[in-house]
Amino acid sequence: MTADNNDKPLNSHQMQENADDLHYEHATCGYCSCLPNGTLVKVNQTLLQWLGYAREELVAHRRLQQLLTMGGALHFGMYGEPLLLLQGYVRELSYQLRHQDGTTQPVLLNANLVRDADGTPLMVHVMLFDITARRQYEQELLRAKKLADHQREQLAELNAALLENNRLLTRTNADLDTFIYTASHDLKAPITNIEGLVKLLTHQLPAEVLQQQQVAHIITLMQASVDRFTETIHQLSDITRLQQSQAAPAESVDLAPLLDDICLDLAPQLTEARAQLTFALDQCPRVHFAPRHLRSILYNLLSNGIKYCHPDRVPVVQVRCHRNDTQVVLEVQDNGLGLSPKQQAQIFGPFQRLHNHVEGTGIGLYAVKRIVENADGTITVQSQPGLGSTFTVTLPEVA
Ligand code: ADP
């Protein structure tokens, strides 16, 4: 151990004092003592280091209050000192120490008042804890809380906007349903009349007029328009029925015979286009679904695959079906005209016709989407213009 100036070994008392001194001077907190009026009489090394003053600049020259910021000094004078006098101590008063270079440091101040035998205040012992890290942490917490509050507000706003959008969408959907119902219902009578009138006209016109090429052509065009109109109304009625009887009874449907049946209906188009069809159904030969609706889905997708074929190649349409854990996945792939990303986003809306070189109503895919979504399924399309398209329908697997 160390020796004193005369190189004599220290006794245990001196060693203790030495250790006490070292502890006092280099403690992890700042210590100081002052007279009751605040005049500093003792300051430890730690506090001197924090403040940036030499001991002689403080001891007997400054008061404790002068080490604090103005607000802190005021608070100490009005609250700390009276409390100290009243109860003999103060605890955890939060102040900012003012360093010599003008910077500040957050501290907690504890102080004890020592009185003499008569009770007259003699000395105040002060302990200052550096709480810079704690303040930073508190500020970070506060910042994080503010951010969280802000994000919560944003989320609430988004939620409200979503709810509003949902409400509008539901209303638009309802309006659309009403429109489709009214349109299909109200247009039936006039088109039936027009059809009757065209027939009547054909009967009334003298044979020589009917045989005139131009007249015959006009009547054929009129009949074709009436047919198209009637077809549209039928499809619209189908959609209305779909909405009214959402819960058509499901049953186990064999895909192969269903597809054969559809091919029979499509025979003229298949022959004309010399289309090739392939079916890969081994992984999922049967599907539990309302047969009429399943037929509608496959009929529309298959007939579109042929209708929108590429002029430079023989149409090849593949129908595949497989199961995953929870779904039946039906895919209809063609090598036809394909669709741009913009067109892909449009095709499932009602009356969307993106190719006009063939006849159509623009309702088929809309109806398919309604059927699929009514059954909690999905329909998507992947396509490349000029190469072809794949329509994927997923239907929830019935346990
Ligand atoms: P429709 O065929 O009666 O016009 P759909 O609702 O079935 O009505 O299809 C809407 C539009 O989507 C079609 O007019 C066509 O432009 C486009 N389309 C549908 N299927 C395909 C396909 N397989 N390849 C390219 N375009 C397609």
Side-chain angles (χ1 to χ4, degrees):
M1 282 303 288
T2 56
D4 66 9
N5 288 341
N6 302 326
D7 272 356
K8 272 197 252 150
L10 297 177
N11 63 33
S12 63
H13 182 71
Q14 286 168 321
M15 280 166 73
Q16 170 80 39
E17 271 188 347
N18 232 356
D20 286 352
D21 279 355
L22 281 173
H23 173 76
Y24 178 85
E25 287 300 335
H26 301 285
T28 50
C29 53
Y31 287 125
C32 63
S33 301
C34 50
L35 300 178
N37 71 356
T39 304
L40 292 160
V41 293
K42 195 173 178 188
V43 181
N44 79 342
Q45 191 59 39
T46 307
L47 186 53
L48 289 172
Q49 251 167 23
W50 287 351
L51 293 166
Y53 286 111
R55 198 178 301 270
E56 42 299 353
E57 289 179 279
L58 297 184
V59 173
H61 287 104
R62 301 243 176 174
R63 293 192 302 132
L64 174 66
Q65 293 86 327
Q66 291 173 297
L67 304 183
L68 308 178
T69 54
M70 185 118 62
L74 263 173
H75 179 273
F76 189 70
M78 290 170 66
Y79 175 78
E81 276 183 56
L83 199 64
L84 197 57
L85 286 173
L86 194 74
Q87 63 182 22
Y89 64 90
V90 288
R91 293 289 179 265
E92 299 198 358
L93 301 183
S94 174
Y95 294 121
Q96 295 279 342
L97 273 189
R98 206 170 49 176
H99 297 165
Q100 194 206 21
D101 63 6
T103 55
T104 57
Q105 171 186 1
V107 288
L108 283 184
L109 180 150
N110 285 352
N112 285 345
L113 176 70
V114 181
R115 296 172 187 272
D116 65 11
D118 304 331
T120 312
L122 259 188
M123 188 75 66
V124 181
H125 295 302
V126 179
M127 201 181 221
L128 295 159
F129 293 100
D130 178 23
I131 55 166
T132 308
R134 180 165 134 182
R135 265 292 140 76
Q136 269 168 5
Y137 176 64
E138 278 169 6
Q139 269 159 6
E140 266 162 35
L141 267 182
L142 215 68
R143 260 199 302 276
K145 186 182 172 304
K146 263 193 196 143
L147 191 72
D149 285 349
H150 180 64
Q151 282 172 344
R152 198 173 315 116
E153 271 165 28
Q154 275 186 331
L155 215 74
E157 275 168 26
L158 272 177
N159 220 6
L162 254 169
L163 278 175
E164 176 60 11
N165 274 351
N166 202 19
R167 196 184 63 77
L168 286 177
L169 263 174
T170 313
R171 223 183 73 186
T172 311
N173 238 358
D175 288 351
L176 201 64
D177 288 352
T178 314
F179 167 74
I180 290 175
Y181 177 77
T182 319
S184 65
H185 183 265
D186 294 0
L187 291 176
K188 245 180 222 159
I191 195 62
T192 314
N193 277 348
I194 294 173
E195 192 169 21
L197 289 172
V198 171
K199 278 203 181 102
L200 197 67
L201 187 69
T202 328
H203 282 118
Q204 294 290 321
L205 285 176
E208 61 272 21
V209 176
L210 270 179
Q211 274 152 18
Q212 284 174 24
Q213 209 184 358
Q214 229 181 345
V215 174
H217 181 60
I218 291 173
I219 287 179
T220 315
L221 287 182
M222 280 169 79
Q223 190 55 53
S225 291
V226 167
D227 289 347
R228 252 199 331 274
F229 209 118
T230 314
E231 171 64 11
T232 306
I233 288 175
H234 275 143
Q235 294 207 13
L236 285 175
S237 305
D238 280 353
I239 292 178
T240 318
R241 267 203 300 279
L242 199 82
Q243 280 146 209
Q244 286 163 352
S245 63
Q246 287 183 358
E251 43 187 272
S252 181
V253 185
D254 273 326
L255 285 177
L258 177 68
L259 284 164
D260 288 345
D261 188 54
I262 292 172
C263 286
L264 273 182
D265 277 6
L266 291 173
Q269 292 94 312
L270 287 170
T271 315
E272 194 191 326
R274 285 183 291 132
Q276 294 171 12
L277 300 186
T278 61
F279 303 147
L281 311 170
D282 291 351
Q283 290 184 40
C284 176
R286 235 160 279 112
V287 173
H288 196 82
F289 207 72
R292 191 161 50 86
H293 289 170
L294 191 60
R295 186 180 204 284
S296 219
I297 296 171
L298 287 168
Y299 183 94
N300 273 293
L301 296 181
L302 254 175
S303 63
N304 280 350
I306 300 157
K307 249 164 65 175
Y308 302 105
C309 62
H310 199 285
D312 299 343
R313 49 185 179 257
V314 167
V316 177
V317 183
Q318 303 173 42
V319 180
R320 297 185 290 268
C321 189
H322 68 269
R323 296 195 140 82
N324 62 29
D325 287 348
T326 54
Q327 293 165 322
V328 167
V329 183
L330 268 169
E331 287 170 327
V332 180
Q333 181 176 7
D334 65 54
N335 63 344
L337 292 170
L339 296 151
S340 67
K342 187 172 169 225
Q343 289 175 320
Q344 292 171 39
Q346 294 174 324
I347 49 170
F348 296 110
F351 307 113
Q352 295 293 336
R353 299 228 59 232
L354 308 171
H355 303 96
N356 288 309
H357 63 289
V358 278
E359 297 277 315
T361 58
I363 296 175
L365 286 179
Y366 172 69
V368 169
K369 188 171 162 71
R370 294 296 293 247
I371 294 174
V372 170
E373 289 183 353
N374 279 347
D376 293 327
T378 60
I379 179 163
T380 51
V381 62
Q382 277 185 315
S383 185
Q384 282 195 37
L387 290 182
S389 315
T390 304
F391 287 82
T392 305
V393 172
T394 65
L395 301 171
E397 182 74 285
V398 181

